[in-house]
Amino acid sequence: MTAGDGTVQVRGRDGSHAVVHHPGAVISAEDWTGAALGLGFQMATDRPGQLDFLRRSARGRLAQLVGRDALDADVRQRRLGLEAVARRCLTLLPPDQVRLLDAFTDGVNTALRQRGSAMTWAPVDCVHVAQVLFQAMGSNGSELHMTEVMRRSLPSAVVDFLLDAADGYATAPDGSPEVDVGVPLPLAELRVLFRQPADQSGGPVVADPRPAGSNAWAVAAPDGAVLANDMHLQLGDPALMYVVRLRVGETEVSGVTVPGLPVVLAGTNGRVAWGLTRLPGDTADLRSLGPQDLADVEVRRETIEIRGESPVTVEVTQSRWGPVTSTLAGEPVAFTATLLDPRALDFGLLRLCDAADVETALDIVNDCGLPPVNAIVADAAGRVGWTVGGRFPHRAEAGRPRGFSDAQEPVPYRFVPPHELPRLVGPPTGMVVNCNNGNHAVRRAGLAWNLPPGIRARRVAVGVDGGGRDAAAARDLQLDVDASCYEFYRDLALRYLPPEPRTAALREIREDVMAWGGTAHAREPGLALLTVFRELLREALVAAATGPARALDDRFTYCFAGAEGPLRRLVAAVPDGLVPAPWRDDRHFVVGQLLMARMMLLRDVGTDRLPQWGQRNRLHLVPLAGYPPEAVDLELSGCAETVRVAQPDYGAVMRLVVDLGRPGDSSVCIPGSPREGVPMAEAVRSWAVGYGQPLTVVPAGYSG
């Protein structure tokens, strides 16, 4: 019911009540159940199409909405059986969380009925939305498949080198550098592999891990603490994140979440602020199935409806070790993960809304059923902390690369107890930081091993040390585009390019590289060439080092997140004869990669001269099915290695800054408008240059 002042009164079947105040969509209620009711109503008012899209994504029912383009994704989801997992998860939730989901569902369905929609939401759909995040942030087993193939086909010294976790940018949770010692370069074994003819069949050998990540840090300030969090996922229309503002009694909570979730993923209650980053956890297992295992499998048929076409029937095979999702050397391979464990997911994160200090908040995060995450926390007393959240399988070997699991290992998982998860509170540096990078504490605890380098975390730590400790400084650092990590490849190019090139192509390459200013600004010359140059070097060198792996498995890919360390050592060994066939020597090889990089850029960008960075790094939004997007074509500053992460279709789905000492300086920024059907081009342009909005909005006439 809408009042004359623009507020909306919402009542649930259980008697719960909420008021949605406009403008600002501030939801007030007597308790968190009522707040969930109002939140469900407001989300279904603003984002009904996105709610449907997200739940269909988990269930494998997108093709029914968008057609054949979604068929492969639907087949994958049906094989995983997430619908059955979600139903079991719902039966395991504590009663207070069930009430929360029931109230949220009432709010969604109330709004849908008012819109005349035939769609109906159910509590299990909230679980499905959580599963979408689990899947985006968790392991799909690709790193296990990679390791198994390498161990079956390559010398052990080569495997250890290619999966070496040593990181020249290693950064501890308190922002200080960590020292890593790398394994020896197996030059003799690599020379043997490099002499073998290159396999030109199939696709690329190197595959970057799936793009999902975040930056987060918190720093003690003179009158409190400042927390910054920007989450990186696929960019789309509408934006993935949704701004939340709740008032329950004297508690005011502001932050962001994903439509369909009745919890605040990152935000503040005025006493505590929290933010999350992805932790690429060791949360999956693959197992080869022998004849005896296959004798016990269950096979069922799934019918997938396709818009505008006849339905497709697929066979789904379930073993005692999980669904069969792939093969290796002719043997079926079963997959399992915390994604498929109904005990691993809950909605306990809502308890952060009542947290009073850092320790309480860290305890809550440790005990939540989440995707594997790092949590950065700060409180109004000026204390900061870091820990991890999620359910982590107990591993016998801590922090080492794993391939396939032994058939005797226990299923279901035995989880690491919450009190054994690592944490750090109040470090002398006055700072905590994580940008998806690994650290010694996480590796020692056996929580993860396929971790990205600490390039972004190191840059954040340096920026905090050298800058201010207020909200304005945090926003500036979120937009930092320092790309000095590419100096290695610039220096390599200039070392091999002749000082006075004879050909026009080489002259252009040298001028372009020398003009690069060290950043990933959209107007920078040189970086586009350097990024493609690096990709080509990596592909050629890794393909030469892993030829037998591709011979064993023609779908083999090297998806090691820490590949930068081994790559730089391979490049450094090129003058020692580590040159892939059929190149004659190191100079021909390096200059050849530069010429190919130029040719590929000119072809892809469609210009007759080397492009500036933004001409290659253009944003093209992915529209939601059935939702007409407004055309947005932007040149983006930033890249995967800068604090300001930006790639085509991928970047910061939100930027949040909380200043607990000066709440009015807190801000939030999302790449788009809050509602479907509203032109969003201007909002995306504002996001691209870093403009945000106040985090807390007080509605006119609101008296508290």
Side-chain angles (χ1 to χ4, degrees):
M1 181 180 195
T2 304
D5 59 359
T7 62
V8 179
Q9 309 277 338
V10 188
R11 293 193 178 276
R13 292 174 301 170
D14 62 352
S16 56
H17 175 261
V19 179
V20 182
H21 306 268
H22 293 281
V26 180
I27 297 162
S28 61
E30 295 179 355
D31 54 29
W32 295 113
T33 302
L37 171 78
L39 186 58
F41 177 88
Q42 192 61 30
M43 283 181 176
T45 300
D46 292 339
R47 307 271 190 92
Q50 192 174 35
L51 288 172
D52 191 31
F53 187 90
L54 289 170
R55 68 173 179 174
R56 285 176 178 271
S57 297
R59 296 167 64 194
R61 299 180 185 275
L62 269 180
Q64 188 176 20
L65 181 68
V66 304
R68 180 166 286 274
D69 287 347
L71 179 59
D72 289 344
D74 280 0
V75 170
R76 181 176 63 249
Q77 298 302 87
R78 297 295 184 92
R79 285 179 175 152
L80 292 175
L82 294 185
E83 281 197 85
V85 175
R87 290 193 297 269
R88 294 199 299 273
C89 175
L90 199 60
T91 66
L92 298 177
L93 295 178
D96 61 323
Q97 294 186 28
V98 173
R99 289 193 297 272
L100 185 81
L101 299 190
D102 285 342
F104 181 87
T105 297
D106 279 354
V108 171
N109 288 330
T110 298
L112 292 175
R113 286 195 298 272
Q114 288 188 7
R115 296 172 61 92
S117 172
M119 172 181 159
T120 300
W121 193 261
V124 73
D125 291 325
C126 296
V127 181
H128 285 316
V129 174
Q131 287 175 322
V132 171
L133 287 187
F134 257 79
Q135 204 163 5
M137 299 172 68
S139 169
N140 63 2
S142 57
E143 75 279 8
L144 306 175
H145 189 97
M146 167 193 70
T147 305
E148 183 70 15
V149 174
M150 290 170 67
R151 286 183 175 163
R152 292 189 189 187
S153 60
L154 299 175
S156 59
V158 173
V159 177
D160 291 343
F161 168 75
L162 290 175
L163 301 181
D164 186 9
D167 174 14
Y169 298 91
T171 303
D174 68 353
S176 61
E178 290 185 331
V179 178
D180 282 344
V181 179
V183 302
L185 176 77
L187 190 56
E189 292 90 338
L190 287 169
R191 280 175 172 160
V192 172
L193 292 167
F194 272 56
R195 284 197 292 267
Q196 298 177 10
D199 183 0
Q200 303 295 332
S201 63
V205 169
V206 179
D208 286 316
R210 290 176 301 160
S214 311
N215 300 321
W217 66 92
V219 57
D223 52 358
V226 174
L227 177 141
N229 186 197
D230 49 298
M231 296 181 178
H232 314 140
L233 290 164
Q234 189 175 41
L235 297 169
D237 180 0
L240 178 64
M241 289 292 171
Y242 186 85
V243 177
V244 175
R245 300 182 176 98
L246 307 174
R247 286 192 174 96
V248 174
E250 297 298 317
T251 300
E252 300 182 8
V253 176
S254 301
V256 297
T257 190
V258 170
L261 298 182
V263 299
V264 180
L265 295 177
T268 180
N269 62 8
R271 303 181 297 275
V272 170
W274 61 93
L276 305 177
T277 76
R278 180 192 178 215
L279 170 60
D282 188 5
T283 57
D285 285 273
L286 297 179
R287 290 178 173 87
S288 288
L289 302 182
Q292 186 173 350
D293 299 309
L294 293 172
D296 297 330
V297 300
E298 173 192 337
V299 179
R300 69 180 189 276
R301 292 180 176 274
E302 293 270 350
T303 299
I304 300 177
E305 302 287 339
I306 306 174
R307 182 178 181 178
E309 299 185 31
S310 300
V312 170
T313 300
V314 297
E315 281 194 351
V316 176
T317 304
Q318 180 74 28
S319 76
R320 61 180 297 224
W321 308 113
V324 176
T325 57
S326 61
T327 62
L328 176 57
E331 289 187 340
V333 175
F335 168 80
T336 194
T338 53
L339 170 71
L340 305 183
D341 193 323
R343 302 170 300 156
L345 191 158
D346 63 46
F347 297 87
L349 200 67
L350 183 70
R351 290 179 289 153
L352 283 176
C353 293
D354 285 324
D357 52 43
V358 163
E359 284 85 355
T360 302
L362 296 179
D363 287 342
I364 290 169
V365 171
N366 289 156
D367 197 35
C368 279
L370 294 165
V373 294
N374 295 277
I376 301 292
V377 179
D379 64 25
R383 304 180 73 231
V384 297
W386 160 86
T387 192
V388 300
R391 309 297 187 204
F392 295 89
H394 187 277
R395 299 298 186 190
E397 280 194 273
R400 290 183 55 80
R402 295 190 310 112
F404 284 8
S405 299
D406 190 284
Q408 303 306 313
E409 293 184 23
V411 174
Y413 290 122
R414 179 165 66 93
F415 293 134
V416 176
H419 67 273
E420 293 183 10
L421 295 174
R423 69 166 61 180
L424 175 67
V425 179
T429 60
M431 173 201 332
V432 286
V433 57
N434 183 271
C435 301
N436 313 122
N437 55 296
N439 57 63
H440 292 171
V442 163
R443 294 184 191 277
R444 283 195 300 266
L447 307 183
W449 60 267
N450 190 29
L451 293 154
I455 294 172
R456 286 182 282 121
R458 179 69 63 83
R459 179 63 184 170
V460 166
V462 169
V464 170
D465 271 346
R469 296 198 167 199
D470 57 11
R475 282 189 285 271
D476 286 344
L477 190 51
Q478 285 181 331
L479 300 176
D480 184 85
V481 292
D482 178 272
S484 55
C485 59
Y486 277 95
E487 290 175 356
F488 176 88
Y489 299 98
R490 178 202 60 192
D491 295 346
L492 175 70
L494 293 177
R495 190 159 62 246
Y496 280 94
L497 285 168
E500 297 181 3
R502 295 181 179 180
T503 68
L506 287 180
R507 282 196 298 272
E508 183 185 19
I509 289 172
R510 185 176 179 85
E511 291 168 0
D512 194 57
V513 170
M514 291 188 68
W516 177 55
T519 78
H521 191 279
R523 297 301 181 190
E524 276 277 22
L527 184 60
L529 180 70
L530 291 174
T531 58
V532 180
F533 176 48
R534 172 182 174 270
E535 291 167 7
L536 291 175
L537 286 170
R538 185 178 57 171
E539 177 65 24
L541 292 168
V542 172
T546 59
R550 180 56 69 96
L552 174 64
D553 177 8
D554 59 6
R555 294 172 299 171
F556 167 78
T557 57
Y558 177 69
C559 55
F560 182 50
E564 185 65 16
L567 172 60
R568 292 193 180 194
R569 296 179 68 192
L570 287 172
V571 169
V574 167
D576 297 326
L578 215 59
V579 178
W583 298 97
R584 297 199 308 269
D585 55 41
D586 56 332
R587 183 167 300 278
H588 284 90
F589 170 63
V590 173
V591 174
Q593 307 312 302
L594 285 165
L595 287 168
M596 286 194 293
R598 175 183 179 273
M599 180 182 66
M600 291 172 61
L601 273 175
L602 297 182
R603 180 197 64 197
D604 294 345
V605 179
T607 60
D608 59 1
R609 58 169 294 125
L610 286 169
Q612 296 176 333
W613 175 238
Q615 292 175 271
R616 184 176 193 244
N617 199 41
R618 301 186 78 96
L619 171 63
H620 300 289
L621 289 178
V622 179
L624 182 65
Y627 177 71
E630 183 180 7
V632 177
D633 187 12
L634 289 176
E635 295 184 358
L636 295 180
S637 296
C639 65
E641 294 81 17
T642 59
V643 178
R644 183 177 185 168
V645 171
Q647 296 173 279
D649 295 343
Y650 174 73
V653 291
M654 70 86 172
R655 298 189 188 104
L656 175 77
V657 173
V658 178
D659 190 329
L660 290 165
R662 297 182 176 85
D665 289 344
S666 302
S667 63
V668 63
C669 178
I670 61 172
S673 58
R675 294 177 297 280
E676 294 172 2
V678 175
M680 65 178 297
E682 188 56 42
V684 175
R685 282 191 284 268
S686 294
W687 160 85
V689 296
Y691 293 152
Q693 58 178 296
L695 182 59
T696 302
V697 174
V698 179
Y702 180 77
S703 59

